[in-house]
Amino acid sequence: QVQLVESGGGLVQPGGSLRLSCVGSGSILNAYDMGWYRQAPGKQRELVAAITAGEMTNYADSAKGRFTISRDNAKNIMYLQMNSLKPEDTAVYYCNADGRRVVIPGRIFWGQGTQVTVSS
């Protein structure tokens, strides 16, 4: 029942910034742990940043100090602010919501992804 839609990707120069958004619908996501993942061509999908229902955060080493994950529960939106972007950040970025620990347990949900390209 949960649907997730990412937006905000695009082409940016090295050192630039982007803010990704993930809009949820079909269910209130306040109680869901959520996160941002990315996948580059030929590479496995990796966790970039995570945020729990209690708004505790965790970052991949590659993102720490440059990216900030946040959520606006009133709007059912999760964000990823990306600063000081590097070419190696180029990937499709996916929104994730984990429904396994909510009051009525469900499953993990994924968005369709948004492309981020960092290039001069």
Side-chain angles (χ1 to χ4, degrees):
Q1 192 64 39
V2 173
Q3 292 88 44
L4 304 171
V5 179
E6 304 95 336
S7 63
L11 176 63
V12 64
Q13 294 188 73
S17 298
L18 286 173
R19 188 178 74 160
L20 306 183
S21 299
C22 172
V23 179
S25 63
S27 183
I28 302 299
L29 300 177
N30 297 37
Y32 288 67
D33 295 339
M34 300 184 70
W36 287 97
Y37 291 72
R38 68 186 180 190
Q39 187 167 24
K43 305 294 183 181
Q44 64 183 336
R45 188 173 299 185
E46 64 175 349
L47 176 68
V48 178
I51 183 166
T52 68
E55 301 196 32
M56 295 179 61
T57 60
N58 187 48
Y59 297 90
D61 289 342
S62 61
K64 200 167 188 176
R66 299 187 298 124
F67 294 3
T68 303
I69 188 171
S70 62
R71 64 196 297 169
D72 185 339
N73 288 332
K75 297 181 178 180
N76 233 26
I77 300 177
M78 180 179 65
Y79 302 98
L80 184 67
Q81 178 67 46
M82 304 187 293
N83 299 325
S84 302
L85 283 162
K86 306 173 181 179
E88 52 263 43
D89 295 318
T90 296
V92 178
Y93 284 70
Y94 296 92
C95 176
N96 168 273
D98 189 342
R100 295 175 296 174
R101 299 199 297 163
V102 297
V103 173
I104 303 177
R107 64 176 183 86
I108 297 173
F109 299 92
W110 295 93
Q112 295 301 304
T114 184
Q115 176 71 49
V116 172
T117 302
V118 185
S119 179
S120 298

